[in-house]
């Protein structure tokens, strides 16, 4: 589980010169607050990568660190919706961090659409909350980039990778 991405246009997937196009999970969290520095250790050897904050396990680690309670991401979101103040704070932090990360993507690529995938993409509250938050961080007066849920479930990224691999192997 982690944070990754891909990009494309005109019906083609972009890979980039080094084959890492869309690998935004190992960029540092943009505009970190003092309490977010240096950030959690990442398996890549750095600290504070977006992946350490935005992956499902990263979200769960933040909740454990903040509350002393272990819970899966979906359970944290349910607890927040039920009024648990610590879960609410952790989810708000998650939304803010995701918005900062997506604003960086918008600033660099200015995409027409951002499609969220993976397990956390099943959190319906993301789609109403994110546009205004991303707009607050992006270098634009008005955010026209749509943020949408994937069409093929939380394994859409794996499905796309398999499709791409099969296309390359032909």
């Amino acid at each position: 589980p982690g944070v990754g991405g891909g990009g494309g246009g005109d019906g083609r997937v972009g890979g980039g010169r080094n084959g890492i196009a869309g690998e935004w999970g190992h960029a540092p969290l943009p505009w970190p607050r003092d309490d977010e520095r240096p950030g959690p250790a990442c398996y890549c050897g750095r600290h504070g990568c977006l992946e350490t904050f935005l992956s499902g396990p990263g979200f769960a680690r933040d909740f454990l660190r903040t509350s002393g309670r272990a819970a899966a991401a979906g359970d944290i979101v349910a607890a927040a919706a039920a009024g648990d103040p610590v879960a609410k704070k952790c989810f708000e932090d998650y939304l803010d961090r995701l918005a900062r990360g997506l604003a960086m993507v918008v600033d660099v690529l200015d995409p027409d659409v951002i499609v969220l995938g993976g397990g956390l993409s099943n959190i319906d509250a993301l789609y109403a909350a994110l546009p205004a938050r991303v707009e607050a961080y992006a270098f634009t007066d008005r955010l026209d980039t749509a943020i949408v849920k994937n069409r093929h479930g939380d394994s859409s990224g794996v499905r796309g990778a398999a499709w791409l691999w099969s296309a390359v192997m032909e």
Side-chain angles (χ1 to χ4, degrees), residues 52-170:
T52 66
F53 290 103
L54 300 180
S55 65
F59 181 36
R61 274 191 305 274
D62 185 54
F63 182 73
L64 176 62
R65 182 185 54 76
T66 304
S67 70
R69 296 178 280 158
D75 295 331
I76 299 166
V77 174
D84 180 316
V86 178
K88 275 183 165 181
K89 181 196 180 316
C90 287
F91 186 55
E92 286 297 318
D93 285 346
Y94 180 82
L95 286 169
D96 186 63
R97 291 168 179 152
L98 181 55
R100 286 183 265 161
L102 292 177
M104 177 185 63
V105 171
V106 168
D107 287 349
V108 172
L109 300 176
D110 197 14
D112 292 333
V113 63
I114 294 172
V115 180
L116 300 181
L120 295 179
S121 70
N122 293 317
I123 301 170
D124 290 330
L126 294 177
Y127 304 96
L130 280 172
R133 291 170 190 257
V134 173
E135 183 177 81
Y137 288 109
F139 188 70
T140 183
D141 294 333
R142 186 185 81 227
L143 183 71
D144 290 328
T145 300
I147 301 171
V148 301
K149 191 173 188 176
N150 61 77
R151 289 185 187 166
H152 300 291
D154 57 13
S155 294
S156 290
V158 173
R159 180 182 174 135
W163 173 82
L164 182 59
W165 180 81
S166 68
V168 169
M169 297 308 291
E170 289 179 355

